[in-house]
Amino acid sequence: MMGNLKPLEIVLIIAVILLLFGAKKLPDMARSLGKSARILKSEAKAMKKDDEPTVPADAAADPAAQQAAARTIQAAPGDVTSSRPVSEAKPTTQS
């Protein structure tokens, strides 16, 4: 459908858009659209980065560190205050 537009029709569409929104608002609209696209792109990259498992080089060699990292209770999304590590019960000697 877009490939069938003639140059006169394209000029007419641009003229109607200019009349509806005005020449002053179009650059602002394009700028805000560009900012929104950049934010969306950066958030998508951050979400992909969060999905990838990250293991530090020193933790890969230490199995105890891996187990400690795996034993963390995750809080609900947005609630970072209640996330805490789980402490293992230590055996006690009774006399």
Side-chain angles (χ1 to χ4, degrees):
M1 181 176 169
M2 291 296 288
N4 296 337
L5 291 178
K6 297 177 183 168
L8 181 61
E9 293 170 341
I10 294 173
V11 170
L12 183 64
I13 291 171
I14 291 173
V16 169
I17 291 173
L18 279 173
L19 287 174
L20 287 175
F21 296 109
K24 289 185 178 181
K25 287 195 175 189
L26 284 177
D28 292 335
M29 290 173 55
R31 192 174 301 116
S32 66
L33 182 65
K35 284 181 183 178
S36 300
R38 270 185 261 130
I39 290 170
L40 180 66
K41 186 177 178 181
S42 67
E43 290 297 323
K45 282 184 180 180
M47 287 177 64
K48 281 185 180 180
K49 193 175 186 181
D50 287 343
D51 288 342
E52 296 174 356
T54 56
V55 178
D58 59 341
D62 188 12
Q66 287 179 349
Q67 184 181 11
R71 300 281 301 162
T72 301
I73 296 175
Q74 296 296 325
D79 184 18
V80 295
T81 58
S82 63
S83 179
R84 63 188 188 283
V86 177
S87 59
E88 296 291 328
K90 295 181 181 176
T92 57
T93 57
Q94 295 178 357
S95 310

